[in-house]
Amino acid sequence: MNSLPNPKQFTTMKSSDLLANRDATKDTKNYDLEKIHNTFKRAIEKVDRRILVQKGNELVDYHFYLSTPYPAAAKDLFGWSPKDQSETIHLMDKEGKVRTVAIRRSGNIKWKTFGSKKYCPYDIKDDYIFLFSGMAELVIIKMLGLSYVMLQSDGMVKHLPLELKSMAANKVVVVLQDNDDSFKNIVPEIIDFFHSSEIIIIDFEELLGRSLKKGYDFRDFCNEVKDVTKVMNLIKKHIIYKQEKLYARKS
């Protein structure tokens, strides 16, 4: 994102590198999360590569995957549930402790979760931070090499780590908005939380210039466009358009 214009400076707050998380939730379920994590990680090593490619293509379009700059960056996220014959996503904290394990499909349950549903992973390394909701989006964002803040689901916005306020200060938070009321309803809370940041809302109906199905999200957008260069050019163009409108109102 280095080619984007510099974000507008709203405050002089200095970014910090705190690791404390506001969500101190302890897992009280009757299972061993570390054991589940290790079991699924060992299991994926025995799965036929053709099956993994097939499952991966269901999650992210294969052509898009091949066009990403860091296709192997999301590899460490994955495990395998032999019982469900499904891939799993593993969220680790900054200290390497497993916080969440989610099975993509377990019977009729989509993203069956063990551990903390409140945990919000993040990785901030430049001035443009992409905020989104969903496990599949995390896979894509990591393959794109972008800075991010992830919500496991829309309702988890209440558990954003407090240190993100200072870490995102004077930076641009790009909100990849799902096309549904559930996500749109949390946008005011996101804006309030990141009050020292510039907020850009990516509305995919506005970006694509047409009506979209309910729930259309960043993953759908990537799978539709299929090429990372086109995806990022469209996103960058939309960010610049939104920034120009924002700065015009402030001038």
Side-chain angles (χ1 to χ4, degrees):
M1 302 297 291
N2 292 335
S3 61
L4 287 169
N6 290 329
K8 199 110 169 181
Q9 301 298 305
F10 288 94
T11 74
T12 58
M13 293 174 65
K14 184 179 179 181
S15 296
S16 64
D17 192 27
L18 302 175
L19 296 179
N21 192 320
R22 177 175 58 176
D23 171 28
T25 305
K26 292 183 178 179
D27 179 23
T28 57
K29 303 291 185 181
N30 188 27
Y31 53 73
D32 186 331
L33 183 61
E34 190 71 29
K35 184 176 181 180
I36 292 172
H37 165 72
N38 291 333
T39 298
F40 290 170
K41 282 293 187 178
R42 286 194 298 268
I44 197 170
E45 297 174 2
K46 301 176 183 179
V47 180
D48 189 296
R49 185 179 181 279
R50 290 170 296 181
I51 295 176
L52 295 178
V53 169
Q54 177 188 342
K55 292 290 186 178
N57 195 40
E58 293 172 5
L59 193 65
V60 180
D61 179 82
Y62 189 62
H63 297 288
F64 178 81
Y65 160 78
L66 290 177
S67 74
T68 59
Y70 308 103
K75 183 178 179 180
D76 289 344
L77 289 174
F78 286 100
W80 183 261
S81 170
K83 176 183 177 182
D84 301 290
Q85 289 295 289
S86 175
E87 63 270 54
T88 59
I89 297 289
H90 301 238
L91 304 181
M92 315 294 288
D93 64 21
K94 302 288 186 181
E95 297 175 349
K97 179 181 178 182
V98 59
R99 298 294 300 274
T100 309
V101 176
I103 304 173
R104 185 178 175 223
R105 291 197 180 277
S106 179
N108 295 324
I109 303 173
K110 192 174 180 180
W111 295 119
K112 180 178 180 179
T113 302
F114 299 92
S116 175
K117 295 182 180 181
K118 300 176 182 179
Y119 178 59
C120 301
Y122 62 84
D123 183 17
I124 299 176
K125 49 199 174 189
D126 53 43
D127 287 338
Y128 286 80
I129 305 163
F130 289 80
L131 185 148
F132 55 89
S133 174
M135 295 287 183
E137 285 76 7
L138 177 62
V139 173
I140 294 170
I141 288 290
K142 288 183 76 69
M143 291 192 298
L144 294 176
L146 301 173
S147 293
Y148 66 85
V149 175
M150 174 200 173
L151 304 174
Q152 291 190 49
S153 63
D154 301 345
M156 297 302 105
V157 68
K158 300 182 183 301
H159 302 283
L160 284 167
L162 289 175
E163 67 264 27
L164 286 174
K165 288 177 179 281
S166 59
M167 295 178 74
N170 303 322
K171 299 180 186 293
V172 178
V173 176
V174 181
V175 180
L176 299 172
Q177 178 178 268
D178 294 355
N179 190 41
D180 56 40
D181 290 340
S182 175
F183 195 104
K184 292 176 182 178
N185 288 340
I186 68 170
V187 168
E189 191 166 351
I190 293 171
I191 293 172
D192 182 64
F193 182 89
F194 292 102
H195 59 83
S196 297
S197 306
E198 179 182 327
I199 308 295
I200 299 293
I201 309 297
I202 301 295
D203 183 322
F204 290 104
E205 286 193 327
E206 184 179 9
L207 187 154
L208 293 170
R210 70 175 196 269
S211 296
L212 299 169
K213 66 179 182 180
K214 181 180 179 181
Y216 188 99
D217 56 21
F218 183 57
R219 173 198 171 200
D220 294 318
F221 174 65
C222 293
N223 285 343
E224 175 184 338
V225 176
K226 299 184 186 301
D227 180 80
V228 69
T229 301
K230 292 180 181 178
V231 164
M232 293 312 300
N233 283 342
L234 286 168
I235 292 289
K236 289 177 181 179
K237 183 178 179 180
H238 200 59
I239 289 173
I240 293 171
Y241 165 72
K242 287 292 189 79
Q243 286 181 316
E244 288 175 346
K245 288 183 65 176
L246 176 64
Y247 300 162
R249 289 199 301 268
K250 290 181 176 290
S251 61

